[in-house]
C-alpha cells in the first residue's frame, strides 16, 4: 500500500547552520525556513530539517515518512495497529499521520499529503516569521 516516500526529517542542532549546509554545500533547493525548521527538495524528495537545540538520541526527531494513497490511509492504519505497533508520538501537524517504531526501533511515519499541500497550509498557518522561497 505504501506508494513512495512522503518526506525525510533530519534533526539538527542549529537551524541556521544546517540551512546553510544543506543549501550551499549539498545544493538542495530551499522551500522555506523558520526559526526551528526548514524544507528543501532533493530532486523529487522533500527533506525537512527540525531544530533540536538540546539534541540527544532521546530528542532525535529524525524519521522517514512513507506515503499512502488518501483513500487507503484509514484501512492501512488499521492494519498496522492490528500488529501491536508502538507509537512514538501523536500527530501534531496538518493532515493525518501515524508515527510508529519498526521492530528495530527506527522512527517511521505514515502520511498522505503532498509537499504542495504542506506549503499551502504553511503559508496560511505558520505565521510571519517564515521565509518562503517559492
Amino acid at each position: 500500500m505504501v506508494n513512495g516516500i512522503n518526506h525525510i526529517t533530519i534533526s539538527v542542532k542549529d537551524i541556521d547552520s544546517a540551512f546553510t549546509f544543506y543549501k550551499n554545500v549539498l545544493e538542495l533547493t530551499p522551500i522555506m525556513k523558520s526559526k526551528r525548521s526548514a524544507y528543501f527538495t532533493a530532486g523529487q524528495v522533500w527533506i525537512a530539517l527540525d531544530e533540536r537545540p538540546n539534541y540527544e538520541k532521546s530528542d532525535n526527531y529524525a524519521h522517514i515518512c512513507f506515503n499512502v494513497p488518501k483513500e487507503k490511509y484509514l484501512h492501512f492504519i488499521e492494519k498496522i495497529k492490528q500488529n501491536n505497533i508502538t507509537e512514538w508520538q501523536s500527530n501534531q501537524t496538518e493532515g493525518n499521520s501515524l508515527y510508529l517504531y519498526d521492530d528495530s526501533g527506527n522512527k517511521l511515519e505514515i502520511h498522505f499529503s503532498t509537499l504542495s499541500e504542506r506549503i499551502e497550509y504553511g503559508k496560511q498557518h505558520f505565521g510571519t516569521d517564515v521565509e518562503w522561497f517559492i
Side-chain angles (χ1 to χ4, degrees), residues 1 68 72-83 85 87 96-100 109-111:
M1 224 173 285
V68 296
K72 297 182 178 184
Y73 177 82
L74 292 176
H75 173 74
F76 190 62
I77 295 307
E78 186 58 37
K79 177 184 173 186
I80 290 173
K81 288 184 175 184
Q82 289 173 0
N83 286 283
I85 59 100
E87 295 182 46
N96 294 316
S97 284
L98 176 71
Y99 297 86
L100 65 142
E109 178 185 356
I110 306 297
H111 192 72

Side-chain angles (χ1 to χ4, degrees), residues 43-55:
Q44 297 299 311
V45 178
W46 168 17
I47 307 293
L49 304 181
D50 181 71
E51 183 179 79
R52 299 287 163 155
N54 300 318
Y55 181 88

Side-chain angles (χ1 to χ4, degrees), residues 83-103:
N83 286 283
N84 298 315
I85 59 100
T86 302
E87 295 182 46
W88 57 274
Q89 78 168 23
S90 60
N91 185 29
Q92 301 168 7
T93 62
E94 58 77 31
N96 294 316
S97 284
L98 176 71
Y99 297 86
L100 65 142
Y101 289 108
D102 70 9
D103 61 353

Side-chain angles (χ1 to χ4, degrees), residues 2-67:
V2 169
N3 63 1
I5 293 177
N6 186 282
H7 64 273
I8 299 171
T9 298
I10 301 169
S11 294
V12 298
K13 290 182 181 183
D14 178 88
I15 196 65
D16 294 323
S17 174
F19 184 87
T20 299
F21 174 82
Y22 283 87
K23 181 177 180 281
N24 296 339
V25 177
L26 296 185
E27 298 184 7
L28 301 188
T29 303
I31 301 299
M32 79 79 162
K33 180 182 175 294
S34 70
K35 291 180 180 179
R36 288 201 46 229
S37 64
Y39 297 162
F40 290 90
T41 55
Q44 297 299 311
V45 178
W46 168 17
I47 307 293
L49 304 181
D50 181 71
E51 183 179 79
R52 299 287 163 155
N54 300 318
Y55 181 88
E56 295 178 16
K57 188 174 182 179
S58 62
D59 190 38
N60 189 346
Y61 189 65
H63 64 277
I64 295 175
C65 178
F66 293 104
N67 198 73

